[in-house]
Structure formats: structure tokens, C-alpha cells
Amino acid sequence: MKLKTLLIIKAIVCLCLGLPILMVPNFVYSIFGATLAAGGVFAAREYGASMMGNLMLSWFARNSQESEARWAIILALFVYDAVGFVVSLIAILSGGINSLGWMVVVLYLFLAIGFGYFLLPLRKSLQAN
């Protein structure tokens, strides 16, 4: 898979999940068996805003050339998705969300592995220059 393809997938995921979380967080979280109080709605909307930022970063970086800036973007997205994987896995194992949450865990894992794959070779090639 090319980095461009992975960035487009990331952008689509962020659009499809981030926009609904931003606009109707109670509905989205209820799908996963979670309920939100007022503070939870605020935090969920902040997360939705974060996903909109990831959407913009992923979409506009899709055609970037090999550089330190592209390496930084890949690193940032890798860390974001790796942390998302760990947090989602803990939530599902602790019983905080229903089994549909495994979809989120797998999605974060896929993205973290994908960006991790592109992270190492890119860094090595930049150090060679």
C-alpha cells in the first residue's frame, strides 16, 4: 500500500467518525453502549474536533514529498493511532463499551501499523542524505 492511500483512508475514517461525533456525540457513543453526561459531551466534541484536524492533516499531506515534514506527519499520526489503540483496547477489556468497540480497536491497530510501516524506512532514507 502507498502512503498516499493510507492517508486517504485515514482522512475518510476521520470524516466518517469525526463529523458525527462532533455533531451528535450522544447518538454515536450510544451505538457503542456508552452514555454521556454534559462533561462527556464536551470531551466527545473535543475528540471530534481532533479528528477534524487529523482529517485536514491527512488529506493535505497525501501528496507530500519525502522530507522531514512528512516524517513528522507520519510520526504524529502513528503516535495518535497507537495511543488510540491502547485506550480503545483498555476501554473494551474493562467493559466500558460493547463488543462493537472491537471495530474501533482494529481500526486504530490497522492505522498504527500502517503509519509505523512507513515511519521507519522514511527516517532511514532521510538520515542517509
Side-chain angles (χ1 to χ4, degrees):
M1 177 185 304
K2 293 182 180 180
L3 178 61
K4 180 177 182 173
T5 305
L6 185 62
L7 288 167
I8 291 171
I9 290 169
K10 172 79 173 174
I12 291 169
V13 167
C14 287
L15 178 65
C16 292
L17 291 175
L19 197 57
I21 289 171
L22 191 59
M23 299 178 76
V24 286
N26 281 320
F27 172 73
V28 175
Y29 279 76
S30 70
I31 293 171
F32 296 100
T35 57
L36 302 174
V41 169
F42 172 74
R45 286 195 167 127
E46 289 288 320
Y47 175 58
S50 170
M51 290 188 81
M52 292 294 97
N54 274 278
L55 161 65
M56 294 295 124
L57 182 65
S58 299
W59 183 255
F60 290 113
R62 75 189 187 282
N63 293 318
S64 63
Q65 299 301 313
E66 195 168 305
S67 65
E68 285 289 330
R70 186 169 90 166
W71 180 82
I73 290 167
I74 295 169
L75 176 62
L77 293 173
F78 168 74
V79 170
Y80 178 90
D81 291 322
V83 170
F85 166 73
V86 171
V87 169
S88 299
L89 185 63
I90 290 169
I92 206 151
L93 293 176
S94 68
I97 54 176
N98 62 28
S99 59
L100 194 56
W102 282 110
M103 176 183 71
V104 176
V105 171
V106 169
L107 186 57
Y108 271 126
L109 180 61
F110 167 76
L111 291 169
I113 290 171
F115 287 115
Y117 172 78
F118 287 105
L119 187 62
L120 297 175
L122 180 59
R123 185 66 185 158
K124 287 179 187 173
S125 69
L126 287 174
Q127 288 175 344
N129 293 333

